[in-house]
Amino acid sequence: MDSNKNEPKLKERSSSNRFENIQPKTTNSSQAKEQTQSDNKVFLTIFTSLVIDLLAFTVILPLLPSLLEFYGKQEEDVLYNTMMKKVNTFKNLMGMPEVGRFNAVLFGGIIGSLFSLLQFFCCPLIGALSDLYGRKPTLLISMFGVLVSYVIWALSQNFTMFVIARFIGGLSKGNVTICTAAVTDVTSSKTRSKGMALIGIAYSIGFIVGPTIGAVFATQSSLKGGHFYYLPAIFAAVLSFVDILFVLCFFKDTLPQEKRAVSMVAECRKAFHYINPVSLFKFSALERSSSSDLKTVRFLGLVYFLFLFFFSGLEFTLTFLMHKNFQYTSMKQGMMFFFIGVVMATVQGGYVRRLAEGSEKKTAVKGMIAMMPGMALVGVATTPFVLYSGLTLFSFGSATVVPCLTSLISKYGTNDQKGKIMGIFRSLGALARGIGPFMFCSAYWSTGPFWCYLVGSLFFVVPLFLLMKYVPGEEPDKKAQ
């Protein structure tokens, strides 16, 4: 231990710890109360902003089939025709049946993967910029880019313009990375799980309410002609504009000037590390880190990537499974995803938010263990009871693992490294979501749903083993003592 005495550590230092021995108890109590009130105000601001943003982001989801049908009528659109040929080639290669909705699912998967891969490239850069210039300026610029993407969508006349809008949105959408870093700035080890759970709850609310609003627009679109997407696009743009005003007025920067990264030149020199997949998995952009802490961060990133790779792949094939085994209509599938969202919001709000300090690893382990029988049950289900039993376990796993892994990795890093760490972390998740769906889609149509879900459920053993063996459960500070 003495040999590492001078070795710099990737860990956080709480200001309350530095002064606890010299401040009177009454003063400490008063300061703690004021700090708690300030932190809660930050939580509420971030939570509200994310809900508004996710409502705008998810309103498009039920519209995708109608959008693709609309763009498909424009035979002169080269990009659409090229992508449709690729989709048909993939369908024929996999031996998929000629079901019209499957075209929309695959096409939507391509659009979603494009968005995720763009996030893979931009999240580390946005996180690093927030370390350098502060959370609020970077957040506002990111949100403005998203607003521009919605305006272009509203004005789009063809599929190519729609893809350009999604491209700009994918490159700009770094608000979740920045908000996660902001939560890390203001929380201690005791309150961080609460903060991460609130981000998860915001996601659940957004993915419950947003698609419902989108479904209303989709229903109206069947009754009207013309550019039916104009109203939902304007709706998303207005929400985005309101979100910008809300952040501008109520969000106080959580990273003071004195705690920010100081050299733009040094950050630019690391640009290669922010876009190189190998460097991202190695967290090469981080400096001043001990070998033990860096090793832990790398394993957490790998666990997160593997979990989301398997999870997103199986989640994507649910649409095919429900059609094949239960003949679910789009409405019934919507109700199924509504059920998943409600369970996730309940678990995050009633359980994850109240986790005791240091229990994140145990909870993430429980979530991965629950995921395995959950996916197996979904794959073998022949009755709604078995299906929804599996989906309940699936939802519990999803609601616990990601917030807990995020909370674990947020304990590492100095103040001017939090944005980079969270950016790289989310980038690895985006990469998993970008490639996982089509890998598992290929497996689904090659081996069938039974083997895809049974073997897929066993794959979760890999991140579970890595988490249990290589990620310590104790705090970095405590570990160093």
Side-chain angles (χ1 to χ4, degrees), residues 1 98 144 228 262 319 356 440 447 464:
M1 201 65 162
E98 289 297 326
F144 179 76
F228 64 89
V262 295
T319 297
F440 274 82
T447 64
L464 176 62

Side-chain angles (χ1 to χ4, degrees), residues 35 38 88 184 230 280 284 334 336 363 458:
Q35 186 63 46
S38 176
N88 288 328
T184 301
Y230 180 75
L280 289 174
S284 299
M336 178 190 71
T363 306
L458 296 177

Side-chain angles (χ1 to χ4, degrees), residues 459-473:
F459 284 159
F460 286 101
V461 170
V462 179
L464 176 62
F465 170 78
L466 294 175
L467 177 62
M468 294 178 67
K469 185 171 178 62
Y470 295 107
V471 177

Side-chain angles (χ1 to χ4, degrees), residues 283 300-301 304 405-406 409 421-429:
F283 283 79
L300 276 169
Y304 183 65
L405 291 180
T406 305
I409 202 167
I421 291 176
M422 300 316 305
I424 295 172
F425 190 67
R426 286 194 57 81
S427 173
L428 295 176

